[in-house]
Amino acid sequence: MLAFIFKRLGQSILVMLAVALISFVMFRYVGDPVASMVSQEASMADQEFLRESLGLNDPFYEQFFRFIVNALQGNFGISYRLQTPVAELIMSRLPATIELALTSAAIALVFGILAGVFTALNRKNPAAAAIMAFSLIGVSLPTFLIGIGLIYIFAVELQWLPSFGRGEVIDFGWWRTGFLTETGLRSIILPAITLSLFQMTLIMRLVRAEMLEVLRQDYIKFARARGLSKRAINFSHALKNTMVPVITIAGLQLGSIITGALITETVFQWPGIGSLFLSSVAVVDVPVMAAYLIFVGFVFVIVNLIVDILYYVVDPRLRVGAAKGH
């Protein structure tokens, strides 16, 4: 088990180094940092002095090593547009994105698994057919169109929920949460549903397909021949084995919720890091863009590491293969 974890950690470090290299190239060679930091009246001598003091004339490998050391310390430089440390900008908006992502992930997992199991066990039920037809909406329609549709129905026509913003928040140190206020809870409903709909339908269809495949296996037929109840067969045997391949796909898709939140955050004017990234792209705020790229890479690396460990735990074939040295 430890050897497996250390192997995955080593691979994760290599991936993060590759992401850091891409971020550094973007940070260093997209535009001129000095030109963004000085006024138009600055002389060439002043610009050259600043470039030398910042180490921009140092060899590539020295600059890259310094960039990694600063990144490990949470120092990503100063935003060109806001003249504020990038780390402060990220940390001020991170709680909003994490709360939106966690809420969307919970909706996608709970309703996706329940709907997948229901449609697999009740294939001839009209409700199952309706769920499968409805799932086409989440798979085929783009996220921004779903968000606009929900805003029109529930915010404009019915006026049940707010159409933008995060609502009232409460501060807990550096963390700002909207889960403890009524307006905060009402504000997160529409963006969370919008962000989770694609992932939910994907998980539902995956669970349904895997469940139907498992129900055809010989050991399920043997369990029926032994006289086990349908509940025991469906949930103790079939569902447990269904979740083995689902963990990998679901984990990767849930990791993409955070990275894919930028469209939803823009539609609902949600004050998260996704909307910060898009506004930074519009003005070529390279430090913020580079920090966001590292953050996205870090999220996927952590999610993949957790998925690999869970897969190793639930799938005995991997443990047997590791014990044999495969």
Side-chain angles (χ1 to χ4, degrees), residues 10-244:
Q11 295 173 348
S12 301
I13 292 174
L14 291 177
V15 171
M16 285 306 303
L17 286 175
V19 173
L21 178 60
I22 297 173
S23 300
F24 171 73
V25 171
M26 176 188 297
F27 182 84
R28 179 62 184 87
Y29 297 106
V30 176
D32 187 1
V34 173
S36 303
M37 299 173 67
V38 300
S39 63
Q40 296 180 354
E41 292 78 14
S43 64
M44 294 298 295
D46 292 336
Q47 294 184 30
E48 184 61 28
F49 175 78
L50 181 58
R51 185 174 283 105
E52 184 67 30
S53 63
L54 293 175
L56 298 180
N57 293 330
D58 293 341
F60 178 88
Y61 64 90
E62 290 186 11
Q63 295 186 49
F64 181 53
F65 178 77
R66 188 163 54 245
F67 177 81
I68 292 177
V69 172
N70 290 334
L72 290 175
Q73 297 174 352
N75 181 11
F76 297 99
I78 305 296
S79 169
Y80 295 163
R81 176 172 62 99
L82 302 174
Q83 294 299 309
T84 304
V86 175
E88 292 184 9
L89 293 175
I90 296 293
M91 296 305 293
S92 65
R93 290 173 172 258
L94 187 59
T97 296
I98 289 180
E99 289 187 357
L100 176 60
L102 290 178
T103 305
S104 302
I107 293 174
L109 274 176
V110 173
F111 289 97
I113 293 175
L114 290 178
V117 173
F118 177 80
T119 53
L121 299 179
N122 302 275
R123 284 173 291 174
K124 298 181 180 180
N125 192 307
I131 292 175
M132 291 301 298
F134 177 77
S135 68
L136 294 175
I137 298 177
V139 174
S140 58
L141 291 182
T143 301
F144 74 91
L145 190 58
I146 295 174
I148 293 174
L150 291 178
I151 289 174
Y152 177 76
I153 295 173
F154 294 100
V156 177
E157 292 294 330
L158 299 178
Q159 297 184 358
W160 289 353
L161 298 169
S163 61
F164 66 91
R166 196 183 175 194
E168 185 181 357
V169 296
I170 297 178
D171 293 335
F172 287 97
W174 65 273
W175 190 275
R176 308 185 71 189
T177 179
F179 284 156
L180 301 180
T181 64
E182 180 185 355
T183 56
L185 290 174
R186 294 177 69 247
S187 297
I188 203 174
I189 293 176
L190 290 183
I193 292 176
T194 302
L195 187 57
S196 67
L197 194 57
F198 175 78
Q199 315 297 339
M200 179 177 63
T201 53
L202 188 65
I203 292 174
M204 183 203 75
R205 287 177 169 272
L206 180 61
V207 170
R208 180 181 182 274
E210 292 295 334
M211 190 83 168
L212 292 175
E213 181 65 26
V214 168
L215 290 174
R216 299 189 188 100
Q217 300 300 314
D218 291 338
Y219 65 89
I220 297 296
K221 298 177 182 178
F222 181 71
R224 292 194 184 102
R226 290 178 56 196
L228 296 180
S229 64
K230 287 186 177 181
R231 180 183 296 272
I233 294 173
N234 293 334
F235 296 101
S236 297
H237 297 278
L239 182 60
K240 179 180 178 181
N241 290 279
T242 296
M243 298 310 297
V244 173

Side-chain angles (χ1 to χ4, degrees), residues 245-258:
V246 169
I247 288 176
T248 301
I249 303 301
L252 295 177
Q253 291 300 319
L254 294 181
S256 67
I257 284 181
I258 294 181

